[in-house]
Amino acid sequence: MSTYLEKYCTIEDIQLVAPFVFDYDRKRTISNWVSHSGSGNATIYKAGSVGKFTQLYANDIELTSVSDVASIDADGKYYFDEAVTAGRDNKTLFDEFIARSSDFVRSYINKPIYKNKGVGTGDSLGRDFPEVIVRSTALLSASLAIMPYDRERGEELQDIAYNPIESNGLLDLIRKGVISLDQDEDGRDKIIKEVSINASTTGAIVDTFGHPQVSFDRIKVIISTAGTFAAGSASTVKFKSFVGDDTGLKVNLVEEARVIDGGLQHIGHGVYVRFSTGVYTLDDEWEVEVSGLNHTSGGGLETIQMKRR
């Protein structure tokens, strides 16, 4: 299954908000080793009932997995020592924490999260997503890592990101509008997803406008002429867009050879997008998921004080 959904933070971001998190690496000790074959320094050991794991370690050093016992021809292969521990590869584990936390952030705030991408568009550190989104995702990822071992500490990190009881977490403040995103809007009627973006590309779709005149569609936006779009010079970059019909999605050409000009430009169904300045590569592709149905805002219930005059 393919996905165009983004991960909002990195392992380095987790280290920034919770530098102690890697003390909780979820390794466990394997015991009850017995001789399998060989003798002396050439002995191969085995242990039963060790459960499922994806990476083996000796003194916290990753060992090399081999396909069969016959391939264990040197130290450091498959497994050999009673001090060996087993667990999931640390990077793989934290990548999963980041992915799960990113999915939660998307669902919880119930608002589009656009990239801060393009020349002169990113934040002060040059990252793609708003700091509040990066930090919230990192806090939730750290919480997932810590919770099984130290629930109190894990919940402290989680509460900074979101706290549905007190409604004072970072994500709660986004939902209530106290903290705004760069391209904030109500509802979820236009969601941008990157389908295929060249590594050399520095520009992006950074804003949307208009109420979709369709119940649901996925609009394809693709660069048809590569180049650099920069302020102060004529743009040579062009795009085209496709909408769906009763035969399928992204099949009908709506806009062809439209020059990117930095303003709001129509892509279909009454929806407009704005491209940032930057470099664009041939066949860079975005998907804009649109829905003209009424959406429920994710702000939740609030109270105000009423006074009789």
Side-chain angles (χ1 to χ4, degrees), residues 3-112:
T3 178
Y4 306 144
L5 298 177
E6 299 279 358
K7 296 177 183 177
Y8 297 134
C9 77
T10 65
I11 292 177
E12 289 73 20
D13 293 318
I14 299 175
Q15 289 176 305
L16 180 65
V17 300
F20 50 82
V21 72
F22 294 103
D23 294 338
Y24 303 85
D25 62 3
R26 301 197 177 189
K27 293 186 180 71
R28 54 188 171 82
T29 300
I30 294 178
S31 57
N32 302 318
W33 291 94
V34 297
S35 175
H36 175 71
S37 64
S39 62
N41 291 336
T43 300
I44 296 175
Y45 292 91
K46 65 180 179 181
S49 301
V50 298
K52 183 179 179 180
F53 54 81
T54 59
Q55 182 62 54
L56 298 174
Y57 304 82
N59 299 320
D60 288 331
I61 303 299
E62 290 188 7
L63 303 185
T64 301
S65 177
V66 293
S67 59
D68 51 43
V69 173
S71 299
I72 303 177
D73 54 9
D75 283 350
K77 293 188 177 181
Y78 216 52
Y79 244 56
F80 64 92
D81 188 276
E82 64 182 1
V84 169
T85 55
R88 297 183 63 184
D89 174 73
N90 207 45
K91 183 180 184 303
T92 301
L93 186 64
F94 275 86
D95 281 344
E96 180 178 326
F97 292 156
I98 292 171
R100 288 176 179 270
S101 298
S102 297
D103 287 341
F104 180 87
V105 168
R106 267 187 292 272
S107 298
Y108 192 77
I109 69 170
N110 197 29
K111 294 182 178 182

Side-chain angles (χ1 to χ4, degrees), residues 111-132:
K111 294 182 178 182
I113 301 172
Y114 298 152
K115 277 194 169 184
N116 293 332
K117 189 173 182 180
V119 178
T121 306
D123 66 12
S124 58
L125 295 177
R127 293 175 302 179
D128 285 345
F129 293 102
E131 166 66 17
V132 65

Side-chain angles (χ1 to χ4, degrees), residues 1 22 52 69 92 129 136 142 159 185 195 269 277 283 298 304:
M1 181 181 69
F22 294 103
K52 183 179 179 180
V69 173
T92 301
F129 293 102
S136 298
D159 288 346
E185 61 176 297
V195 176
H269 298 310
T277 53
D283 293 332
I304 60 173

Side-chain angles (χ1 to χ4, degrees), residues 222 239-243 250-257 267:
I222 189 167
F239 76 91
K240 54 186 177 181
S241 64
F242 299 81
V243 300
K250 306 178 183 180
V251 292
N252 282 341
L253 180 67
V254 174
E255 300 291 347
E256 183 174 15
I267 59 172

